Amino acid sequence: MTVAHIAQHLETLAPLHYAEDFDNVGLLVGDASMEVTGILVTLDTLEHVVDEAIAGQCNLIVSFHPIIFKGLKTLTGRDYVERTVLKAIKNDIAIFCVHTALDNSPLGVNAKLCQVLDIRQPKILLPKKGTIKKLVTHVPKAQLASLREALFEAGAGTIGNYDHCSFALEGEGSFRPGEAANPTVGKRGETHFGDEVQLHMTFAAAAESNIRKALFHNHPYEEVAYEITTLDNTNQNMGMGMLGTLGAPMEETAFLEHVKERLNARGIRHSALLGRPVQKIAVLGGSGSFAIPAALKQGADVFLTADLKYHQFFQAEGQIVLLDVGHFETEQFTKNLLVDFLNKKIPNFAVTLSRSVTNPIKYF
């Protein structure tokens, strides 16, 4: 089992293609072809986490947050980032990060947060744009079924909770092969007319590479006529945050106590309570102030997130209760999620949950 094999499994949960543009995800340190002896899963990769990996004979650290976020110009050990990276390199330990790729996953950070808080029937709060694409190609009618099936296998034809979706339109195609051509049908220098089918299929953007390979490998023509476009359609299965409901309405203070207990929060900063029961809850683990308008628009009673600034609490406008529970507190269960996922994907392999508490914030 190599680092690359583990990465392939992780990408089925959190495709790196869906990470935010500002982020730094994937293999940050190490050789993708290295054999893995053990995996340590952590929220943050710090020096003492690398020590933990060494002690546990784990040569791959799967981390939620990236230890390398901005470009490194030196590796002299002058700060905690450089010291951590140097220690990992010296001990042949690879570091793989998922961060916002997992934030945007429907089974990721916010799904786990909803599970912990018993928020039911969650849906994506902020669907990610540009994640749905469309393939249009032309194929002889006789080869339609085999090409379509190959594209289905590669991941084409997905729409929300449906797969194997396609639309075929029959017509007449024409082309004239040049002298250097090697046509499947027709003759060089002569215009060929034949029955063709125009095939339409949507797909997740992360599957584009596999779909292109399947198209070129299975299409009968020497030159494949095709178009791939990015759609503006909303992808309800990919994006930041989640919105769901409690099993029954709760008084505001009771809900705050519920959050405090489930997340082991030392303190909750919040906007003014509104004196009414709450049931519709929006969540976004980590820094989520940018989703306040979405939570308001979708009628959430409470929006639970972290890292809210002073003036952002005014955005509640007397319509919603904003909760700042803490960055670590809202993401702490992410490593449990990753361990459970890897144990299912690669049973009988050494996957260890880090015991290190990496929260840098202390309370007096």
Side-chain angles (χ1 to χ4, degrees):
M1 187 74 69
T2 66
V3 172
H5 290 138
I6 304 299
Q8 288 172 3
H9 286 304
L10 288 168
E11 284 217 58
T12 64
L13 172 67
L16 300 184
H17 184 87
Y18 295 136
E20 298 299 310
D21 292 340
F22 63 80
D23 206 3
N24 190 28
V25 294
L27 184 60
L28 306 187
V29 175
D31 182 356
S33 64
M34 182 177 69
E35 290 287 333
V36 178
T37 59
I39 303 170
L40 181 70
V41 180
T42 182
L43 188 68
D44 304 281
T45 302
L46 303 171
E47 284 184 85
H48 64 274
V49 175
V50 178
D51 289 332
E52 186 181 359
I54 296 168
Q57 298 183 324
C58 298
N59 64 347
L60 172 61
I61 295 174
V62 174
S63 179
F64 178 64
H65 289 128
I67 182 59
I68 303 173
F69 195 73
K70 299 179 180 179
L72 289 177
K73 294 185 178 181
T74 63
L75 267 178
T76 61
R78 63 177 178 172
D79 59 23
Y80 80 96
V81 174
E82 292 188 11
R83 289 192 297 273
T84 300
V85 173
L86 277 172
K87 182 170 284 191
I89 292 172
K90 287 179 180 178
N91 290 277
D92 291 325
I93 294 175
I95 301 173
F96 188 93
C97 164
V98 290
H99 204 206
T100 57
L102 191 62
D103 277 321
N104 279 312
S105 170
L107 301 175
V109 177
N110 296 294
K112 184 65 177 179
L113 189 53
C114 286
Q115 179 188 4
V116 171
L117 293 173
D118 197 22
I119 297 170
R120 304 175 184 182
Q121 298 180 314
K123 64 177 185 178
I124 299 295
L125 178 64
L126 276 174
K128 188 169 177 60
K129 297 180 179 179
T131 60
I132 302 176
K133 294 198 173 189
K134 182 179 180 181
L135 167 69
V136 178
T137 189
H138 299 80
V139 60
K141 188 175 180 179
Q143 282 79 41
L144 171 64
S146 60
L147 177 62
R148 182 164 49 192
E149 188 60 34
L151 291 169
F152 284 156
E153 288 297 316
T158 57
I159 301 175
N161 295 322
Y162 295 80
D163 59 15
H164 286 211
C165 305
S166 68
F167 181 78
L169 183 66
E170 295 186 22
E172 183 180 68
S174 69
F175 55 83
R176 184 171 68 178
E179 290 303 317
N182 185 25
T184 305
V185 294
K187 297 180 180 180
R188 296 184 183 93
E190 295 183 8
T191 302
H192 173 80
F193 296 90
D195 293 334
E196 289 188 347
V197 175
Q198 187 182 71
L199 179 63
H200 296 243
M201 305 175 85
T202 58
F203 60 90
E208 182 172 347
S209 177
N210 288 338
I211 288 168
R212 285 178 181 267
K213 290 176 184 177
L215 175 64
F216 297 144
H217 182 73
N218 292 279
H219 200 289
Y221 285 169
E222 180 183 28
E223 295 286 352
V224 180
Y226 73 100
E227 302 172 25
I228 290 179
T229 54
T230 301
L231 305 180
D232 289 334
N233 301 49
T234 298
N235 187 347
Q236 297 294 345
N237 291 323
M238 188 67 62
M240 290 276 185
M242 284 195 160
L243 178 73
T245 58
L246 301 172
M250 296 178 69
E251 294 299 323
E252 292 167 318
T253 53
F255 180 70
L256 264 65
E257 288 292 345
H258 170 72
V259 170
K260 195 172 183 180
E261 186 270 328
R262 292 292 179 94
L263 301 187
N264 193 28
R266 294 286 302 277
I268 298 176
R269 300 164 65 231
H270 61 85
S271 62
L273 300 182
L274 304 178
R276 64 193 186 198
V278 299
Q279 186 169 22
K280 196 171 186 180
I281 312 297
V283 302
L284 201 161
S287 303
S289 61
F290 58 89
I292 294 174
L296 280 164
K297 184 177 180 180
Q298 297 191 48
D301 300 312
V302 172
F303 176 44
L304 183 154
T305 188
D307 301 340
L308 296 181
K309 296 180 180 179
Y310 175 85
H311 290 95
Q312 289 167 339
F313 283 99
F314 289 118
Q315 294 180 41
E317 296 277 6
Q319 301 174 51
I320 192 172
V321 178
L322 302 177
L323 304 186
D324 184 338
V325 186
H327 199 116
F328 174 86
E329 286 77 8
T330 58
E331 294 179 339
Q332 62 184 300
F333 299 102
T334 301
K335 62 182 184 180
N336 304 78
L337 180 160
L338 289 167
V339 167
D340 291 344
F341 173 81
L342 288 171
N343 279 330
K344 289 177 183 177
K345 284 290 184 179
I346 46 174
N348 303 319
F349 196 82
V351 180
T352 304
L353 178 69
S354 173
R355 298 185 302 274
S356 299
V357 177
T358 58
N359 189 1
I361 298 173
K362 309 302 176 185
Y363 297 88
F364 181 73

